[in-house]
Amino acid sequence: MMQNLTVLGTGTLGSQIIFQSAYSGKNATAYDISDEILAKLPARWEQLKDNYRHDVKDATDEKLDAAVSRIRTTADIKEALKDADIVIEAVPERLDIKQDTWKKVSENAPAKTIFCTNSSTLPPSKIAPFTDRPEKFLCLHFANEVWKYNTGEVMVQPKTDPAVFEEVAKFAEEIGMVPIRIKKEQPGYVLNSLLVPLLDAAADLWVRDVASFEDIDKTWRIATGAPSGPFQIYDTVGMMTPYNLNKDATDPVKKEFARRLKEDYIDKGRMGKIAGHGFYDYD
């Protein structure tokens, strides 16, 4: 059993992975690049406690406090990795940042450590050569709001050892995820292969003024029975991810979508559901 987890990156999803793992009884180390970033985590844990109280049937104050007690934080990569059984990387979606991160991890991680990336868009075979153990490198991908939407997409790259693949699937199950075994490298895994075309289509309709984002969401919810429309999903994901994915696009509609996100939302502090404001306002 892999008991000691290190998560690299404490943003929206990284912090959720840390908290969910600790809630499931794992020892979780949260690593980020500065103490200033890490100082924000206690407030994040309080916010996540509220989410669990609302959404998780067995959540009690005692269990939630115990989860926080199993989390430690550090901005020292060597300290973060010293006893890690498994590492999950959740740093920004830029290949150069991920490659540099994994070089540092390889220099400091014990031989036993299994390496996982949570990258949503970058194939693991692009990252594996920058590790010292490609046979122990693969993807473990989470959906946002992991305590509620609890898929754990486990995906190989060509050099992944099948036994390691199964170990990670078992770990996903141990932290309350439903393991989805992806047998070959697929950009976007299963979830984003289905979700991204929907979100792109919604952005296209909105940017071209075909319909308001409210009516686009309403159409999707009513006609399909889905609990959330695409712009509600954008709010859950947060504005920075779609902005980063679209800002350098050659397609003029995608470029305009990124511009609107920045000027009308990001620059005004409307960063999505986590901030209380995105396309919609949240209590």
Side-chain angles (χ1 to χ4, degrees), residues 107-119:
E107 291 166 3
N108 290 285
K112 67 174 182 175
T113 311
I114 290 173
F115 293 173
C116 295
T117 180
N118 180 58
S119 176

Side-chain angles (χ1 to χ4, degrees), residues 55-129:
D55 296 327
V56 180
K57 287 181 181 177
D58 69 350
T60 63
D61 288 345
E62 185 179 34
K63 286 184 178 180
L64 294 167
D65 290 342
V68 174
S69 74
R70 286 190 281 269
I71 300 169
R72 69 186 187 99
T73 64
T74 181
D76 180 333
I77 191 76
K78 189 172 183 179
E79 174 66 21
L81 296 165
K82 67 180 183 182
D83 197 30
D85 295 312
I86 183 169
V87 172
I88 300 174
E89 167 264 304
V91 304
E93 284 290 281
R94 275 181 41 189
L95 185 58
D96 58 334
I97 294 175
K98 290 186 185 292
Q99 289 174 343
D100 182 60
T101 298
W102 282 111
K103 282 182 186 176
K104 291 175 183 174
V105 173
S106 295
E107 291 166 3
N108 290 285
K112 67 174 182 175
T113 311
I114 290 173
F115 293 173
C116 295
T117 180
N118 180 58
S119 176
S120 299
T121 59
L122 298 167
S125 58
K126 294 281 188 187
I127 307 169

Side-chain angles (χ1 to χ4, degrees), residues 1-219:
M1 179 184 287
M2 291 186 283
Q3 179 62 22
N4 298 322
L5 162 74
T6 296
V7 176
L8 310 172
T10 61
T12 299
L13 207 46
S15 60
Q16 291 178 20
I17 297 166
I18 293 160
F19 195 88
Q20 174 65 24
S21 299
Y23 186 78
S24 302
K26 301 297 183 184
N27 302 320
T29 297
Y31 167 81
D32 220 311
I33 57 174
S34 74
D35 290 327
E36 288 76 17
I37 294 172
L38 295 172
K40 298 175 183 177
L41 287 178
R44 179 67 171 138
W45 306 147
E46 291 305 312
Q47 183 181 38
L48 285 168
K49 283 182 182 181
D50 286 342
N51 293 138
Y52 277 63
R53 290 185 189 103
H54 185 268
D55 296 327
V56 180
K57 287 181 181 177
D58 69 350
T60 63
D61 288 345
E62 185 179 34
K63 286 184 178 180
L64 294 167
D65 290 342
V68 174
S69 74
R70 286 190 281 269
I71 300 169
R72 69 186 187 99
T73 64
T74 181
D76 180 333
I77 191 76
K78 189 172 183 179
E79 174 66 21
L81 296 165
K82 67 180 183 182
D83 197 30
D85 295 312
I86 183 169
V87 172
I88 300 174
E89 167 264 304
V91 304
E93 284 290 281
R94 275 181 41 189
L95 185 58
D96 58 334
I97 294 175
K98 290 186 185 292
Q99 289 174 343
D100 182 60
T101 298
W102 282 111
K103 282 182 186 176
K104 291 175 183 174
V105 173
S106 295
E107 291 166 3
N108 290 285
K112 67 174 182 175
T113 311
I114 290 173
F115 293 173
C116 295
T117 180
N118 180 58
S119 176
S120 299
T121 59
L122 298 167
S125 58
K126 294 281 188 187
I127 307 169
F130 293 84
T131 76
D132 65 343
R133 61 199 77 178
E135 74 285 353
K136 285 188 170 184
F137 181 80
L138 67 165
C139 290
L140 177 53
H141 183 252
F142 297 80
N144 211 341
E145 299 190 354
V146 302
W147 64 92
K148 199 163 46 166
Y149 306 122
N150 61 325
T151 54
E153 295 181 287
V154 186
M155 185 171 76
V156 299
Q157 45 87 20
K159 294 187 177 180
T160 304
D161 182 335
V164 171
F165 178 72
E166 286 302 323
E167 279 188 75
V168 172
K170 184 180 177 185
F171 174 81
E173 200 165 5
E174 288 169 1
I175 62 170
M177 301 297 105
V178 176
I180 308 298
R181 290 169 170 82
I182 301 175
K183 300 179 285 184
K184 60 172 69 174
E185 198 171 70
Q186 166 62 33
Y189 309 81
V190 173
L191 173 60
N192 283 333
S193 293
L194 297 168
L195 181 61
V196 169
L198 167 67
L199 296 181
D200 283 347
D204 179 89
L205 290 168
W206 180 58
V207 167
R208 292 190 301 106
D209 252 350
V210 174
S212 68
F213 69 79
E214 295 95 337
D215 280 344
I216 295 167
D217 277 0
K218 193 185 302 179
T219 302

